Amino acid sequence: MKDYYDVVVVGAGPAGSITAKTAAEKGLSVLLIEKRQEIGDPVRCAEGVSKVWLRKHINPESRWICADVKGSRIFSPDGTMIEMAEEVAGGEVGYVLERKLFDRVLAYESAKAGAQVFVKTRATGLIIEDDFVKGVRLMHWGQEYDVRCKIVIGADGIESKVGRWAGIDTSLKPVNIETCAQFLMSGTGIDQDYCYFYLGNEMAPSGYVWIFPKGGGLANVGIGILGSKSGKKTAFEYLNDFVADKYPDARILEVDVGGVPVSGSIERTTANGLMLVGDAARQSDPITGGGIINAMEAGRIAGEVACNAISEDDVSVERLNEYEEKWRSTIGLEIDNSLVVKNVFINFTDKELDGLAHSLQDVNFSSMSLLDLLYALFKANKKLLWDLRGLFRNVVKNELDFDH
Amino acid sequence: MTIKVNKFKCGYCGACVGVCPAGALELVETWIEVDDNCTSCGICAKICPLGAIEVSR
């Protein structure tokens, strides 16, 4: 390890690795550190991702793709099913990943681009001088090091400390986190072509249960509940109840837990000499909880902005505002829209959820877009969904602008 | 005033660190450390997916 780099990236998840790769490809010297001794483990993710968006960052490889998903089946509390399937020829929807391999492959991509990668290496603080972040204090195999740099990237996930050290309050209120538990199970007997979602306040208060196929008869069976509804009963207990009721004979091969930010965009993700990306920047989607694609998009932008700023020898928060502007005008718009939906969704009663599902019974979905579903819902339930009215104008505009 | 993390229950996911308003928690590799800034507000215990945290006042 050197004592100076252009960029130090804290955290080797998708956000950190893509930032490191992008910056290294542009010729910057990059250090990527991961506090765990194994990149990608433990998994804290349902592992579903959109094919189209994934390909913008990496060519899919069978060794880290577990399942190829054609559509989704969503169940309201009374069991009414809404099916969204891609019927267009050559249709694409999603993959279910093996994050343990995927994350390692992304880190390797950054290494191939020239980044230095160190595992079991934890940031313990920032070096701050004259109100500028100038480096990172590290703990590497029990030894402390100071590493100086021009820009620090905080890609340190839900438990991010990097932003806080730089004076950005990233703490999440209970209403702004989904608390999640997941089992990797055999013997659920689900159709491996579909992702399943179950809604209901008894089953998953202000959240949902998901079942994502993992190939070879396996599935991720997980639950997220809103933090404000957690406490007396934990996400883990809700999941145990769901599984005991639905799959009493299935086997649990792995347990995963985690928190997902659903706060929507936070006020600030930059400081002098610092940018936050991915879950550390709370960039996960407030309604789906999906974070991989947003993390990779933000990582690419941050890597590019790091190069631009360093080449101009100006890493001030004003110069790094290019990052704020770019992510907020792309992934940020969708995050904001999803926050509007979340704020309506978390207050629905089971009866209202059933009513919404019934209103879609005769609707035929030709694509899997969440927007199509929402728009159909809105048209049939304008009174109940009046708060969403501003969404469609904006979302339609986004769709035109960002071709997804 | 502090909290007690049951290390036999903890899944070291870091959700508690993300919600701590005082910044008193840290996920160090595979365990949670608590510093003196803890106010025993109990938010971490409330959102822990595994119920691994107990608040002592």
Side-chain angles (χ1 to χ4, degrees):
Chain A
M1 194 183 307
K2 298 187 292 181
D3 56 11
Y4 175 83
Y5 295 83
D6 291 323
V7 177
V8 175
V9 181
V10 179
S17 288
I18 294 290
T19 312
K21 174 180 177 237
T22 307
E25 280 172 348
K26 291 189 173 295
L28 300 180
S29 65
V30 179
L31 172 65
L32 172 63
I33 62 166
E34 168 55 51
K35 70 180 164 192
R36 296 183 176 82
Q37 63 196 53
E38 293 170 63
I39 289 168
D41 185 85
V43 172
R44 303 181 291 186
C45 180
E47 307 183 291
V49 72
S50 135
K51 285 187 191 178
V52 177
W53 282 92
L54 182 75
R55 278 210 202 94
K56 292 178 194 267
H57 297 278
I58 187 165
N59 287 324
E61 281 180 80
S62 58
R63 69 193 165 107
W64 44 259
I65 293 173
C66 296
D68 191 326
V69 178
K70 291 188 194 137
S72 293
R73 290 174 174 163
I74 303 170
F75 296 85
S76 78
D78 71 2
T80 305
M81 183 177 87
I82 306 299
E83 183 168 316
M84 295 195 293
E86 187 69 67
E87 288 164 0
V88 183
E92 327 212 2
V93 180
Y95 292 123
V96 181
L97 306 175
E98 189 71 83
R99 282 291 300 274
K100 287 173 195 178
L101 292 179
F102 177 72
D103 285 28
R104 192 203 294 162
V105 165
L106 289 185
Y108 179 40
E109 290 283 314
S110 81
K112 282 193 286 188
Q116 285 205 337
V117 183
F118 283 85
V119 296
K120 209 169 167 68
T121 302
R122 180 171 64 98
T124 59
L126 295 175
I127 301 165
I128 298 177
E129 291 165 0
D130 305 323
D131 201 32
F132 272 73
V133 175
K134 298 271 190 178
V136 185
R137 299 216 155 79
L138 304 180
M139 173 74 86
H140 171 67
W141 291 105
Q143 287 267 14
E144 289 188 327
Y145 297 87
D146 280 3
V147 175
R148 301 182 74 86
C149 61
K150 292 198 174 101
I151 292 178
V152 171
I153 303 292
D156 49 340
I158 184 82
E159 74 266 35
S160 178
K161 300 288 272 192
V162 170
R164 295 191 198 221
W165 290 330
I168 303 171
D169 181 10
T170 55
S171 67
L172 295 162
K173 295 191 176 77
V175 74
N176 286 331
I177 188 171
E178 288 277 329
T179 168
C180 307
Q182 173 174 276
F183 297 146
L184 174 64
M185 301 190 85
S186 66
T188 62
I190 61 154
D191 183 335
Q192 291 272 331
D193 286 340
Y194 289 89
C195 287
Y196 297 76
F197 299 90
Y198 292 84
L199 306 178
N201 287 296
E202 293 287 315
M203 191 188 289
S206 302
Y208 61 85
V209 170
W210 65 82
I211 305 175
F212 287 4
K214 282 272 284 187
L218 301 178
N220 279 337
V221 182
I223 188 170
I225 64 173
L226 201 64
S228 55
K229 304 283 174 82
S230 165
K232 285 198 180 74
K233 189 171 172 180
T234 63
F236 182 67
E237 289 167 334
Y238 277 104
L239 180 60
N240 274 315
D241 286 353
F242 176 84
V243 164
D245 176 52
K246 195 131 171 88
Y247 303 118
D249 299 323
R251 298 286 182 265
I252 298 167
L253 302 175
E254 180 177 310
V255 179
D256 308 307
V257 287
V260 176
V262 290
S263 56
S265 307
I266 57 173
E267 206 174 302
R268 192 157 67 91
T269 58
T270 50
N272 290 325
L274 178 125
M275 291 183 269
L276 300 177
V277 290
D279 276 10
R282 310 320 190 198
Q283 285 161 334
S284 43
D285 188 283
I287 191 75
T288 65
I292 299 170
I293 297 299
N294 286 353
M296 294 168 88
E297 291 286 316
R300 178 178 287 165
I301 299 169
E304 288 168 356
V305 171
C307 176
N308 297 343
I310 288 171
S311 66
E312 290 169 23
D313 202 21
D314 179 3
V315 297
S316 67
V317 70
E318 291 79 17
R319 182 64 189 80
L320 299 182
N321 197 48
E322 181 187 347
Y323 170 66
E324 298 275 11
E325 280 176 1
K326 284 187 172 162
W327 82 257
R328 287 176 199 278
S329 63
T330 53
I331 58 169
L333 292 179
E334 269 201 64
I335 292 170
D336 293 345
N337 288 335
S338 291
L339 183 64
V340 175
V341 180
K342 172 208 159 192
N343 288 337
V344 172
F345 171 78
I346 61 172
N347 292 314
F348 282 146
T349 63
D350 282 6
K351 213 177 149 194
E352 286 168 335
L353 288 169
D354 286 328
L356 292 170
H358 298 162
S359 75
L360 292 179
Q361 278 300 278
D362 301 321
V363 178
N364 183 22
F365 291 102
S366 57
S367 91
M368 213 177 97
S369 155
L370 188 63
L371 172 77
D372 296 335
L373 174 76
L374 286 172
Y375 192 55
L377 277 171
F378 179 69
K379 282 194 293 190
N381 305 275
K382 282 196 176 134
K383 199 173 166 192
L384 189 60
L385 299 176
W386 191 240
D387 288 350
L388 301 186
R389 66 191 177 282
L391 207 62
F392 301 106
R393 188 186 54 232
N394 291 341
V395 175
V396 168
K397 181 171 168 289
N398 289 356
E399 294 264 309
L400 294 174
D401 287 347
F402 303 110
D403 68 280
H404 50 106
Chain B
M1 296 213 290
T2 187
I3 56 160
K4 200 173 162 191
V5 182
N6 183 336
K7 67 181 177 192
F8 300 107
K9 272 191 180 181
C10 175
Y12 44 92
C13 72
C16 54
V17 182
V19 297
C20 178
L25 304 184
E26 183 159 3
L27 172 56
V28 182
E29 297 190 32
T30 55
W31 66 91
I32 299 293
E33 283 190 356
V34 190
D35 72 21
D36 296 341
N37 294 314
C38 175
T39 64
S40 293
C41 72
I43 295 175
C44 55
K46 179 178 170 64
I47 64 90
C48 175
L50 289 166
I53 302 178
E54 251 181 76
V55 184
S56 42
R57 287 175 201 275

